[in-house]
């Protein structure tokens, strides 16, 4: 793809969020994932790796962590003179306007779109974890002469997490999109990635709002599914839909499979995140680590099995971590045990504690708590 | 240009001959160290933590990789509008030009760079050493003692004293004797190659030294002895932290091994003194169910199966099942197959070790060095025996 043909929009407005305590003080986009990333890193990196060098992020609520994480966009190579990263929070602070649909937000930012050069717009969410080359999607879009291309994924055994299903005919044309989470029998899931010409988007925004409709998918796209040629691009790689606690845990644990690790983090492109300058992970004499992901800055003196340790986690002597996720700077003191738990950032487990969840009921500990 | 109190001049042109294969295509300051760093990261991080924001990096030998690594100084926070990092290679002038003949000549050739900032003091350091030091404390010592030159000194073991420039000092830390790499050392107070000069005075000495055709234009051999002769006030700032000259294969290996001790004297994880470096884009390390890692440092992007004991593993390294690695330094992106045994070795970046190969042996004294990008086949150890 020619660099700069597409502009990216990461739409965080009314993104499904059933991540409980993990999103108490942050938006879904900045939920830590995969030992050193935030969810939004995957989408951002995919865009950059596909030659998209102008990305707007529609921030909506609880976006302090988002601003902190994204900074100038330098870590994703999105700090250019000509284009780069634009964080676009709500323009109005009127409560009623805040609760309106995402189309209104597009409308409020119409100048941003009109001023941008790229011919195409790619609109995504932040919770679909995958590694995809969008230039392939653009080639598909052009080849099929589509008005809108939706990136989809077939999951015969169903998808963990909340996603809309779509119905696709034999030509790959989308004929139905699940309304809310209503009934629709299909094994094809909508990855909430929409590619279309910028002019079409602006047109849809204007005409839908004029009719009093203000949701991009439900109104602007779905209600015109007969008039517009909406195509499905079938993505083949690993997909994790992360917007509920069970899907967060299940998709995290999938990273412990070698094939998934080798694919999601490397192919076709690398995943970038905010750098931290942590030291290499330190394993001491009695360390025992099996089947786990370990980030830099960790110090491991105890036992870690089938778990994910984010940056700067300390597992003291005699401590045991099993089937768990310990986020940044977690401390587990001597002889404590942690099983089937998710520890948010900066959690401290004092010595000789037994923290135990179950496969069916994970134990969640909020940020900065001490047990 | 805003005036700077002190400008740092970092000598990074060292060839590092004694590092052999490791510096074949690479300047010594760019050699990998400690699991994710390059040697120069330590001095650059020291500068930043000492509130020095203007650093001239003098490059000469094999600068390509080093230049690429340093960029505009962003990873160290040295991409500044005013000051920041400037790479200073030797250059041509109207009257001709030349390579940097010696350490003093390197500074002499960059007088105009320093003059731009009109500093009171100039800190001269080298990019060859591993240590964490607050230069602002040394500057305070320099000012308090009203010194013309302050040299940082550290006590080294007598056995290796002859590798260094050695100082004799009186009770007030005034330097009363200085000898460069003597055969028979009479002091074990080594110069760390960290100098603070008063700029105006240094400039005069550099010009004078340059006019002396007999001079080798070196600080240790020429300029400092001349200052001694002129009875200037030379003061020693004693440093008692960790400091290591990693100029040889043995010392490079030892310094790496120092890091895996239970309470290492060089703490890489101190949040108040982070060692900044270019962070590779790599996911968290994957430790397979069959892996055993003990007393080691392992970095992001590694895919580990097999056993690792008392070793330093850089980013992007893959090790295969049933492989065993002992007391070794594995540099970035090395691919190690299955059933490989590695004892006391330094494996250069990007080397490929085939299944079943053995490098070194459990009882050897010497360190085996595998060059950058080298392919080692399964019968590697056997061929050497023949």
């Amino acid at each position: 793809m020619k660099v700069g043909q597409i502009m990216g929009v990461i739409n965080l407005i009314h993104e499904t969020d059933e991540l409980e305590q993990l999103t108490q003080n942050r938006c879904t986009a900045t939920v830590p994932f995969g030992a050193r990333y935030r969810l939004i890193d995957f989408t951002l990196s995919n865009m950059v790796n596909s030659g998209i060098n102008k990305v707007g992020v529609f921030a909506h609520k609880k976006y302090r962590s988002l601003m902190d994480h994204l900074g100038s966009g330098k870590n994703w190579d999105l700090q250019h003179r000509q284009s780069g990263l634009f964080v676009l929070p709500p323009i109005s602070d009127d409560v009623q306007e805040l609760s309106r649909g995402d189309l209104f937000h597009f409308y409020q930012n119409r100048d941003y779109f009109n001023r941008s050069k790229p011919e195409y717009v790619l609109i995504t969410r932040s919770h679909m974890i995958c590694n995809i080359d969008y230039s392939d999607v653009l080639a598909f879009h052009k080849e099929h002469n589509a008005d809108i291309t939706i990136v989809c994924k077939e999951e015969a055994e169903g998808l963990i997490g909340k996603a809309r299903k779509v119905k696709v005919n034999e030509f790959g044309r989308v004929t139905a999109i699940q309304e809310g989470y209503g009934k629709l029998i299909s094994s094809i899931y909508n990855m909430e990635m929409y590619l279309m010409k910028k002019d079409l988007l602006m047109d849809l925004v204007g005409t839908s709002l004029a009719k009093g409709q203000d949701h991009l998918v439900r109104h602007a796209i779905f209600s015109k599914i007969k008039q517009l040629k909406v195509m499905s691009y079938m993505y083949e790689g690993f997909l994790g839909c992360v917007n509920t606690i069970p899907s967060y845990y299940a998709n995290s644990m999938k990273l412990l499979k070698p094939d998934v690790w080798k694919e999601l983090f490397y192919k076709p492109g690398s995943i970038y995140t905010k750098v931290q300058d942590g030291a290499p992970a330190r394993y001491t004499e009695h360390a025992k680590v099996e089947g786990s992901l370990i980030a830099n800055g960790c110090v491991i003196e105890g036992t870690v099995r089938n778990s994910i340790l984010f940056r700067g986690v300390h597992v003291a002597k005699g401590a045991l971590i099993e089937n768990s996720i310990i986020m940044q700077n977690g401390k587990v003191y001597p002889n404590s045990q942690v099983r089937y738990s998710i520890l948010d950032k900066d959690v401290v487990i004092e010595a000789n504690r037994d923290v135990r969840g179950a496969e069916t009921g994970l134990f969640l500990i909020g940020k900065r708590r001490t047990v | 240009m805003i005036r700077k109190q002190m400008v740092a001049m970092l000598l990074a042109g060292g060839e590092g001959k004694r590092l052999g294969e490791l510096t074949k295509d690479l300047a010594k300051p760019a050699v990998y160290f400690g699991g994710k760093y390059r040697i120069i990261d330590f001095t650059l991080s020291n500068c930043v933590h000492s509130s020095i924001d203007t650093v001239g990096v003098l490059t000469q030998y094999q600068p390509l990789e080093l230049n690429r690594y340093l960029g505009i100084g962003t990873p160290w926070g040295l991409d500044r509008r005013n000051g920041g990092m400037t790479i200073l290679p030797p250059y041509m002038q109207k009257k001709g030009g030349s390579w940097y003949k010696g350490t003093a000549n390197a500074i002499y050739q960059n007088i105009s760079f320093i003059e731009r900032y009109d500093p009171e003091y100039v800190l001269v350091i080298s990019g060859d050493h591993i240590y964490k030091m607050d230069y602002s404390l040394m500057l305070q010592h320099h000012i308090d003692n009203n010194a013309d030159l302050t040299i940082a000194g550290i006590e080294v073991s007598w056995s290796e004293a002859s590798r260094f420039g050695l100082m004799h000092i009186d009770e007030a830390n005034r330097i009363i004797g200085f000898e460069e790499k003597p055969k028979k050392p009479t002091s074990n107070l080594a110069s760390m190659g960290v100098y603070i000069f008063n700029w105006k005075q240094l400039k005069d000495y550099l010009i004078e030294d340059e006019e002396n055709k007999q001079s080798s234009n070196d600080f240790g051999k020429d300029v400092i002895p001349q200052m001694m002769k002129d009875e200037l006030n030379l003061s020693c700032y004693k440093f008692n932290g960790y400091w290591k000259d990693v100029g040889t294969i043995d010392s490079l290996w030892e310094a790496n091994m120092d890091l895996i001790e239970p309470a290492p004297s060089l703490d890489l994880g101190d949040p108040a003194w982070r060692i900044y470096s270019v962070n590779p884009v790599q996911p968290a390390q994957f430790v397979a169910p069959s892996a055993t890692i003990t007393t080691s440092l392992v970095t992001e992007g590694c895919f580990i199966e097999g056993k690792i004991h008392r070793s330093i593993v850089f980013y992007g390294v893959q090790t295969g099942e049933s492989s065993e690695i002992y007391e070794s330094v594995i540099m970035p992106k090395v691919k190690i197959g299955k059933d490989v045994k590695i004892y006391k070795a330094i494996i250069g970046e990007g080397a490929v070790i085939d299944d079943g190969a053995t490098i070194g042996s459990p009882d050897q004294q010497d360190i085996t060095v595998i060059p950058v990008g080298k392919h080692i086949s399964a019968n590697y150890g056997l061929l050497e025996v023949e």
Side-chain angles (χ1 to χ4, degrees), chain B residues 26-310:
Chain B
L26 195 65
K28 181 167 150 189
V31 169
Y32 289 105
F33 178 81
K36 68 172 279 204
Y37 310 99
R38 296 189 189 241
I39 297 171
I40 197 171
D41 289 333
F42 288 82
T43 27
L44 285 175
S45 299
N46 285 347
C47 286
V48 175
H49 290 306
S50 308
S51 307
I52 298 170
D53 63 9
T54 309
V55 183
V57 180
L58 296 102
T59 60
Q60 174 151 292
Y61 175 79
Q62 288 284 5
L64 178 65
E65 178 113 357
L66 184 61
N67 286 348
R68 197 184 55 82
Y69 183 72
L70 296 174
I72 56 168
T74 309
W76 303 272
L78 287 170
D79 50 339
R80 306 281 177 104
R81 186 177 292 265
N82 179 6
M85 176 195 285
T86 309
I87 294 181
L88 302 167
Y91 56 93
M92 296 303 291
Q93 303 167 39
K94 268 271 185 325
K95 286 180 262 165
S98 71
W99 295 109
Y100 294 148
K101 288 176 279 181
T103 50
N105 175 256
I107 307 297
Y108 170 82
Q109 290 201 37
N110 288 292
I111 285 176
S112 56
F113 167 77
I114 299 172
E115 293 276 86
R116 278 166 65 95
Y117 299 100
D118 189 18
E120 195 76 32
Y121 309 100
V122 169
L123 171 74
V124 177
I125 46 184
S126 99
D128 298 354
H129 302 133
I130 304 292
Y131 64 116
K132 299 200 293 192
M133 179 175 179
D134 189 341
Y135 302 128
S136 66
L137 299 178
M138 180 170 166
L139 178 61
Q140 198 53 52
H141 172 100
H142 181 81
I143 294 168
D144 291 347
N145 286 278
N146 206 9
D148 295 305
L149 160 63
T150 298
I151 304 178
I154 188 163
E155 284 177 16
V156 295
S157 70
W158 284 94
S159 60
E160 51 172 12
S162 63
R163 281 171 54 199
F164 302 103
L166 300 174
M167 295 179 276
H168 290 271
I169 57 171
D170 66 12
E171 314 82 62
N173 287 327
R174 196 176 159 138
I175 301 168
I176 47 178
F178 185 89
E179 16 177 26
E180 184 71 14
K181 295 176 189 166
K183 289 226 164 57
K184 285 195 184 124
T186 51
S187 161
N188 70 334
L189 185 62
S191 160
M192 293 165 61
V194 177
Y195 310 113
I196 293 179
F197 294 97
N198 298 335
W199 172 236
K200 288 201 173 66
Q201 195 175 39
L202 174 65
K203 193 175 141 190
D204 293 340
Y205 269 88
L206 290 176
I207 294 170
E208 197 183 309
D209 181 66
E210 192 62 24
E211 283 164 359
N212 177 4
K213 294 287 171 256
Q214 262 74 55
S215 172
S216 57
N217 307 119
D218 188 88
F219 280 115
K221 290 188 198 114
D222 309 293
V223 176
I224 294 169
Q226 186 60 45
M227 286 179 161
M228 292 279 307
K229 212 185 278 173
D230 296 347
E231 294 183 347
L232 297 189
N233 181 8
L234 271 58
S235 182
C236 173
Y237 174 74
K238 275 195 177 173
F239 178 71
N240 36 29
Y242 181 94
W243 179 81
K244 197 122 185 169
D245 177 17
V246 288
T248 63
I249 295 287
D250 283 351
S251 62
L252 180 67
W253 181 84
E254 275 165 27
N256 272 292
M257 290 301 131
D258 287 343
L259 297 172
I260 59 172
E261 294 308 322
S265 33
L266 184 78
D267 180 9
L268 297 175
D270 180 1
W273 199 284
R274 287 187 192 279
I275 309 301
Y276 301 117
S277 68
V278 176
N279 285 266
V281 181
Q282 295 282 350
Q285 56 198 270
F286 186 97
V287 184
S290 63
T292 317
I293 309 174
T294 46
T295 322
S296 295
L297 297 188
V298 182
T299 313
E300 285 167 344
C302 287
F303 189 93
I304 307 290
E305 297 175 288
K307 183 175 177 181
I308 293 175
H309 183 59
R310 295 189 63 81

Side-chain angles (χ1 to χ4, degrees), chain A residues 50-109:
Chain A
S50 307
I52 297 175
N53 56 20
K54 178 159 193 162
V55 179
V57 180
F58 279 7
H60 194 223
K61 288 177 180 162
K62 295 190 273 197
Y63 55 82
R64 192 211 64 85
S65 62
L66 182 75
M67 303 294 289
D68 176 45
H69 182 67
L70 297 178
S72 63
K74 199 185 252 176
N75 287 312
W76 297 266
D77 216 356
L78 280 173
Q79 190 198 34
H80 317 157
R81 179 145 290 193
Q82 295 81 6
S83 45
L85 180 72
F86 297 81
V87 180
L88 305 164
I91 288 171
S92 159
D93 58 4
D94 185 319
V95 179
Q96 277 191 323
E97 294 196 351
L98 268 177
S99 62
R100 289 184 70 177
D102 47 2
L103 276 184
F104 185 64
H105 208 80
F106 280 92
Y107 178 75
Q108 283 189 319
N109 285 293

Side-chain angles (χ1 to χ4, degrees), chain A residues 91-279:
Chain A
I91 288 171
S92 159
D93 58 4
D94 185 319
V95 179
Q96 277 191 323
E97 294 196 351
L98 268 177
S99 62
R100 289 184 70 177
D102 47 2
L103 276 184
F104 185 64
H105 208 80
F106 280 92
Y107 178 75
Q108 283 189 319
N109 285 293
R110 62 196 181 281
D111 285 350
Y112 168 74
F113 289 96
N114 290 333
R115 250 188 260 125
S116 301
K117 279 189 203 145
E119 193 183 351
Y120 294 91
V121 185
L122 174 76
I123 303 161
T124 72
R125 293 293 197 176
S126 72
H127 65 276
M128 291 287 182
I129 302 304
C130 63
N131 198 331
I132 180 172
D133 186 347
Y134 291 118
S135 51
D136 293 344
V137 182
L138 180 63
F140 173 94
H141 182 85
K142 287 179 175 169
E143 189 190 325
H144 290 83
N145 218 5
D147 292 315
I148 298 174
T149 296
I150 305 180
V151 181
C152 299
K153 166 87 175 161
E154 179 147 22
E155 292 277 1
E157 286 160 23
L159 191 71
I160 318 168
K162 295 209 161 172
R164 285 191 178 98
K165 289 178 192 171
V166 292
K167 269 211 144 119
V168 172
N169 72 9
E170 68 266 42
F171 307 108
R173 190 161 167 178
V174 178
T175 55
I177 302 177
Q178 194 174 10
E179 171 76 26
Y181 299 104
K183 278 207 169 121
L184 186 92
I185 298 164
S186 169
S187 58
I188 297 172
Y189 290 85
N190 179 351
M191 288 170 64
E192 305 281 343
M193 297 168 181
Y194 305 92
L195 179 70
M196 66 189 93
K197 282 208 168 134
K198 187 178 76 186
D199 293 347
L200 174 62
L201 173 70
M202 289 293 101
D203 186 47
L204 289 175
V205 169
T207 51
S208 299
L209 281 172
K211 282 189 273 180
Q213 304 173 325
D214 58 5
H215 289 278
L216 173 72
V217 180
R218 200 191 310 159
H219 298 134
I221 298 174
F222 187 59
S223 68
K224 296 194 181 61
I225 210 154
K226 295 223 162 61
Q227 298 97 303
L228 295 172
K229 191 175 182 191
V230 181
M231 295 296 295
S232 61
Y233 171 90
M234 297 306 257
Y235 165 73
E236 306 277 330
F238 172 84
L239 169 67
C241 169
V242 180
N243 52 10
T244 63
I245 291 292
S247 68
Y248 179 85
Y249 183 77
N251 283 304
S252 294
M253 290 298 142
K254 280 184 190 169
L255 303 177
L256 300 177
K257 294 181 182 165
D259 298 347
V260 173
W261 186 87
K262 283 178 182 167
E263 183 196 318
L264 180 63
F265 296 120
Y266 291 104
K267 287 176 213 163
S270 299
I271 309 299
Y272 313 99
T273 189
K274 185 178 168 187
V275 300
Q276 280 187 347
D277 290 293

Side-chain angles (χ1 to χ4, degrees), chain A residues 209-357:
Chain A
L209 281 172
K211 282 189 273 180
Q213 304 173 325
D214 58 5
H215 289 278
L216 173 72
V217 180
R218 200 191 310 159
H219 298 134
I221 298 174
F222 187 59
S223 68
K224 296 194 181 61
I225 210 154
K226 295 223 162 61
Q227 298 97 303
L228 295 172
K229 191 175 182 191
V230 181
M231 295 296 295
S232 61
Y233 171 90
M234 297 306 257
Y235 165 73
E236 306 277 330
F238 172 84
L239 169 67
C241 169
V242 180
N243 52 10
T244 63
I245 291 292
S247 68
Y248 179 85
Y249 183 77
N251 283 304
S252 294
M253 290 298 142
K254 280 184 190 169
L255 303 177
L256 300 177
K257 294 181 182 165
D259 298 347
V260 173
W261 186 87
K262 283 178 182 167
E263 183 196 318
L264 180 63
F265 296 120
Y266 291 104
K267 287 176 213 163
S270 299
I271 309 299
Y272 313 99
T273 189
K274 185 178 168 187
V275 300
Q276 280 187 347
D277 290 293
R282 165 182 292 277
Y283 297 78
T284 63
E285 202 183 338
H286 301 291
K288 200 167 179 193
V289 179
E290 294 163 3
S292 296
L293 272 193
I294 311 289
N296 272 3
C298 287
V299 177
I300 300 163
E301 301 179 88
T303 303
V304 180
R305 269 191 218 113
N306 200 40
S307 294
I308 293 177
L309 268 49
F310 281 69
R311 296 186 273 203
V313 169
H314 186 177
V315 181
K317 257 188 204 159
L320 168 77
I321 314 286
E322 225 171 50
N323 302 311
S324 294
I325 298 165
I326 318 264
M327 292 187 195
Q328 205 176 311
N329 297 328
K331 306 267 175 280
V332 180
Y333 287 129
N335 305 318
S336 277
Q337 310 200 338
V338 178
R339 290 187 180 88
Y340 288 109
S341 299
I342 300 173
L343 277 55
D344 204 329
K345 285 171 74 175
D346 302 313
V347 167
V348 176
I349 307 291
E350 305 256 23
N352 305 310
R353 296 291 190 276
D354 191 351
V355 177
R356 208 177 277 238

